[in-house]
């Protein structure tokens, strides 16, 4: 557990502060094109979302692709997940839930698709946490990992205006080439590792921030959106995310 930059209490507090978690997941949810391509070309039938409470991507995969989906996290508050399922016309039994510590869990099953969105950057040893993902992947299956890019302008924003949240992230892992190298060293075939998205900014618990900061953030966000609408490109400096896709040989 020394690999963690956060602990269970951090996540209990994090989710207890959140409201409005039971939302209807749209068909064009973030990364929908990438996930649809994997599912349609690789004949995916089973998937597991690691560290994904309350289960937005598990719900997305079940709702739109009818996959056999599992959600694994070491903090799961079942009423929240049930409310999310209900908001998307799903039932409690539509998603398998495993509440466990990833570092002590020995999974007997492997999956066609293993994904995590915003997980690996909370660990000090990036190679170790990625290897734990790989252990869930079937031969021929796909690993899909996304994480924020705090080496971009968005990261500067976090560091200056929300240092406590910034410090909960392993900034050094936010490097597509580093992630690709870890996968290759583990015998995986890297399909893509890149910066993703033209521009975005966010702050955790933004509605609790001072009005002046919220106005400044909105101004910078709008300017960035206009600029990248005219000049659309992915880059280390502006892209808010990194994606990694790899196949198990």
């Amino acid at each position: 557990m020394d690999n963690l930059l956060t602990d269970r209490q951090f996540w209990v507090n994090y989710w207890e502060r959140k409201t409005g978690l039971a939302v209807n997941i749209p068909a064009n949810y973030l990364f929908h094109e990438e996930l649809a391509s994997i599912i349609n070309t690789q004949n995916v039938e089973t998937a597991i979302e690691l560290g994904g409470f309350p289960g937005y991507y598990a719900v997305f995969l079940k709702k739109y692709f009818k996959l056999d989906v599992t959600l694994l996290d070491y903090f799961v508050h079942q009423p929240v997940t049930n409310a999310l399922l209900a908001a998307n016309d799903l039932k409690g039994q539509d998603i398998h839930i495993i509440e466990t510590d990833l570092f002590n869990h020995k999974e007997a099953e492997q999956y066609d698709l293993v994904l995590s969105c915003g997980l690996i950057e909370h660990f000090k040893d990036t190679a170790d946490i990625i290897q734990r993902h790989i252990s869930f992947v079937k031969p021929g299956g796909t690993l899909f990992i996304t994480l924020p890019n705090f080496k971009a302008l968005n990261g500067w924003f976090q560091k200056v205006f929300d240092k406590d949240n910034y410090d909960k992230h392993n900034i050094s892992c936010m490097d597509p080439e580093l992630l690709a190298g870890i996968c290759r060293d583990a015998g995986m075939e890297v399909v893509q590792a890149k910066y993703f998205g033209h521009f975005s900014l966010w702050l955790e618990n933004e509605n609790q921030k001072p009005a002046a900061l919220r106005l400044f953030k909105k101004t910078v966000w709008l300017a960035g959106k206009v600029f990248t609408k005219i000049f659309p490109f992915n880059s280390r400096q502006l892209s808010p995310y990194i994606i990694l896709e790899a196949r198990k040989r």
Side-chain angles (χ1 to χ4, degrees):
M1 295 297 288
D2 289 342
N3 192 15
L4 281 166
L5 289 168
T6 60
D7 57 20
R8 181 182 173 84
Q9 191 58 48
F10 169 83
W11 290 111
V12 171
N13 295 339
Y14 178 88
W15 289 113
E16 284 182 346
R17 289 195 302 265
K18 295 288 185 180
T19 59
L21 295 174
V23 298
N24 188 290
I25 306 297
N28 65 344
Y29 200 46
L30 185 63
F31 311 120
H32 68 281
E33 292 182 354
E34 291 70 27
L35 288 168
S37 175
I38 293 168
I39 292 165
N40 293 330
T41 61
Q42 301 301 312
N43 299 314
V44 172
E45 295 181 354
T46 62
I48 186 168
E49 180 184 6
L50 301 180
F53 176 79
Y56 292 123
Y57 280 95
V59 167
F60 172 77
L61 295 174
K62 186 67 178 182
K63 180 177 180 179
Y64 294 105
F65 298 97
K66 313 303 181 188
L67 300 186
D68 184 353
V69 181
T70 299
L71 168 66
L72 186 152
D73 206 329
Y74 83 141
F75 173 74
V76 176
H77 188 43
Q78 192 70 52
V80 172
T81 298
N82 287 343
L84 175 63
L85 289 165
N88 289 274
D89 299 320
L90 296 172
K91 298 182 175 63
Q93 63 267 29
D94 285 332
I95 290 178
H96 314 294
I97 294 177
I98 303 172
E99 184 175 8
T100 188
D101 172 11
L102 184 60
F103 288 84
N104 295 321
H105 180 68
K106 300 299 183 184
E107 180 64 31
E109 186 176 351
Q110 291 185 311
Y111 301 83
D112 298 322
L113 172 62
V114 175
L115 74 153
S116 71
C117 300
L119 175 65
I120 70 167
E121 72 275 11
H122 295 293
F123 297 85
K124 299 173 186 176
D125 188 335
T126 305
D128 178 75
I129 188 62
I130 289 179
Q131 186 59 58
R132 293 178 190 275
H133 282 59
I134 292 171
S135 69
F136 286 86
V137 184
K138 278 183 180 178
T142 300
L143 173 67
F144 185 76
I145 291 174
T146 76
L147 61 157
N149 173 26
F150 280 3
K151 292 184 178 180
L153 179 60
N154 187 36
W156 174 85
F157 219 82
Q158 306 291 326
K159 186 175 183 179
V160 173
F161 298 112
D162 196 351
K163 185 69 161 53
D164 186 57
N165 180 62
Y166 180 87
D167 288 342
K168 296 293 191 295
H169 295 77
N170 177 1
I171 308 303
S172 66
C173 80
M174 299 174 182
D175 179 344
E177 284 305 312
L178 170 72
L179 303 179
I182 291 171
C183 282
R184 291 190 187 101
D185 289 345
M188 301 283 283
E189 175 191 353
V190 175
V191 178
Q192 59 176 335
K194 65 181 183 180
Y195 298 106
F196 179 88
H198 299 153
F199 176 77
S200 192
L201 288 178
W202 62 79
L203 287 169
E204 293 293 338
N205 304 308
E206 184 175 336
N207 61 345
Q208 299 173 19
K209 304 297 183 185
L213 174 55
R214 284 184 274 128
L215 178 60
F216 176 59
K217 178 258 178 181
K218 185 175 182 180
T219 302
V220 176
W221 179 89
L222 183 60
K225 286 292 186 181
V226 170
F227 176 76
T228 53
K229 182 74 172 178
I230 299 170
F231 305 104
F233 58 93
N234 297 330
S235 68
R236 185 189 69 79
Q237 293 79 12
L238 295 178
S239 292
Y241 302 104
I242 293 168
I243 62 174
L244 169 69
E245 179 185 347
R247 204 94 64 226
K248 190 179 238 183
R249 302 176 203 265

